[in-house]
Each structure stands twice: as C-alpha cells, then as structure tokens.
Amino acid sequence: MNAVQLVATMARERSVPSWWISAKRATDIVLGVLLLILTGPIVILAAIAIAAVTRGGPFYAQERVAQNGRHFKMYKLRTMVNGAHARRDEIMHLNELDGPVFKIRNDPRLHPLGRLLRRTSIDELPNFINVIFGDLSLVGPRPALPSEVQHYDAVALRRLTVPQGVTCLWQINGRSQVSFDHWMELDNRYVDSWTPWGDLSIIAKTVPAVLRKDGAH
C-alpha cells in the first residue's frame, strides 16, 4: 500500500457532520478574501522591497502536499536568493530541527529582507490565495514538502487526512521551537478533535502568536 492509499484508509477513521465541512469551507472563502484584501498592501510593499534588494521575482510557487497526498503549488513571498535550493546539500549539516524537516535560524541563503519576512510571517501572506482556490484551509496542519512526506511514518501521515492550513496548533504552540514528534502530536490532536468553532479559536490565537514571533525563523 502506497502513501496515498494509506492516507485514504486513515481518512475513514473519524466521521464529522457534513455541515462542519461546509462551514469550514465557507469560513475559508469569506475570511480568506477579507484577509487577502486587508494584507494586500503589505504584500505589494514587500514585493517591491524584495525586487529592490535581490534579483528575481518577489513571488514563488513551491510544491507542497495537500489533503490525501495531492500535490499543489503554494504561493509565498521569496525570502532566499536565486539558486538557493541548489545549495541545500551544502548546508544540510546546519539543520536545527529533528525529523525529516529542514530549518536553519540564520540560513545563509536568505536575501537581505528574508529574515524579517520570515520573523513577521509576511512571506506567508500569499497563502490566502491558496485558501481561496481551495488548496488550503485557514486552519489545518501546515503543508509539507513532498521530500518530507516520503519519510513520514503512519503517525505523521494522519495529518494528511484533513485539509492542510495556513495556521494550526503547531503555529500557536512554538512552531520551530518544538520537536518533530511533538509537532506531529499536535497535528494528530487536531485531526482527532477539530470543530468549526475550534478553528475560529485557533485563528484568534494566531494573531498574538505571530506578533510575538513565537518560533518564527
């Protein structure tokens, strides 16, 4: 059984009322459009600033894994210099996280504004485009890279049974400060207990977490 088939089997573990799913999607569309409009000026200013300090376009689309193992392009503001991905093997020894995740607090591939964009989470604001398209939900496990999912065990794969999101329990509980196992524990907790009103609570808690820059780098 491959990963996609395994996720499909796991997806039948928990049944939720159909109106919960409809309410979640309706919330995504309404708040997603509103947040995209409200943050649009910030994104435009950031894009202009990125173009001024580094070569290449200010936006990029990165392949990520959505619910049930489907791949999609996630939109972000570019925080690294051109050719950064080709240098990954050179700096693998600097990885600060455990598990299959790769993250460096002071990544040498960041352009002059990269650290600021990441610390403030401004680089993730274009994610609202994916929310409107239906690739992401406002709340759900953060979408992983295909190369990370290849190393998932059955526990980690359960996070793919729900819509992936812009924010989640991991986002409001320390982000990069927590271990990979605890991260997966938080995602599994969400899989087992999410509700429409619980999502609204996570959204409300995300604002102060972002302002405090908890675990953001």
Side-chain angles (χ1 to χ4, degrees):
M1 182 180 294
N2 61 34
V4 174
Q5 292 172 325
L6 181 59
V7 170
T9 301
M10 292 176 175
R12 296 192 288 269
E13 290 184 2
R14 184 186 182 217
S15 177
V16 299
S18 59
W19 73 264
W20 283 16
I21 299 173
S22 298
K24 186 178 182 68
R25 182 59 187 146
T27 300
D28 287 343
I29 294 173
V30 173
L31 290 184
V33 170
L34 179 62
L35 290 169
L36 186 62
I37 293 172
L38 291 176
T39 61
I42 298 174
V43 173
I44 292 172
L45 289 174
I48 294 172
I50 293 170
V53 301
T54 182
R55 293 183 300 169
F59 298 96
Y60 82 106
Q62 186 179 49
E63 187 173 21
R64 296 290 181 117
V65 182
Q67 184 180 16
N68 296 327
R70 180 178 64 85
H71 290 202
F72 73 103
K73 295 294 186 180
M74 188 173 78
Y75 301 109
K76 300 185 70 175
L77 285 165
R78 187 167 56 84
T79 59
M80 295 188 181
V81 298
N82 282 338
H85 183 72
R87 296 177 54 196
R88 179 167 175 169
D89 289 344
E90 301 175 14
I91 57 175
M92 281 296 293
H93 64 286
L94 300 176
N95 188 21
E96 298 176 5
L97 298 184
D98 59 344
V101 185
F102 181 76
K103 197 79 169 180
I104 306 173
R105 187 182 305 272
N106 295 307
D107 196 316
R109 300 171 299 169
L110 294 175
H111 61 61
L113 291 177
R115 180 169 172 77
L116 173 64
L117 294 173
R118 289 188 173 185
R119 287 282 291 163
T120 56
S121 298
I122 290 175
D123 64 314
E124 296 177 355
L125 293 180
N127 286 178
F128 295 135
I129 297 174
N130 292 111
V131 172
I132 296 170
F133 286 168
D135 299 320
L136 293 177
S137 176
L138 284 173
V139 182
R142 286 295 291 164
L145 296 167
S147 59
E148 296 169 353
V149 174
Q150 289 176 359
H151 298 283
Y152 278 5
D153 59 14
V155 174
L157 281 172
R158 290 192 72 237
R159 70 198 302 272
L160 299 179
T161 62
V162 296
Q164 308 297 276
V166 176
T167 188
C168 56
L169 291 175
W170 172 77
Q171 192 94 356
I172 62 174
N173 283 281
R175 297 171 71 174
S176 297
Q177 295 174 344
V178 304
S179 68
F180 179 76
D181 285 344
H182 185 45
W183 179 357
M184 295 302 102
E185 178 187 336
L186 290 170
D187 285 345
N188 273 271
R189 186 189 308 171
Y190 179 80
V191 170
D192 292 330
S193 62
W194 81 267
T195 63
W197 44 91
D199 280 2
L200 293 177
S201 175
I202 292 174
I203 291 172
K205 292 177 181 178
T206 298
V207 176
V210 169
L211 293 176
R212 291 193 305 266
K213 304 180 180 64
D214 292 346
H217 60 261

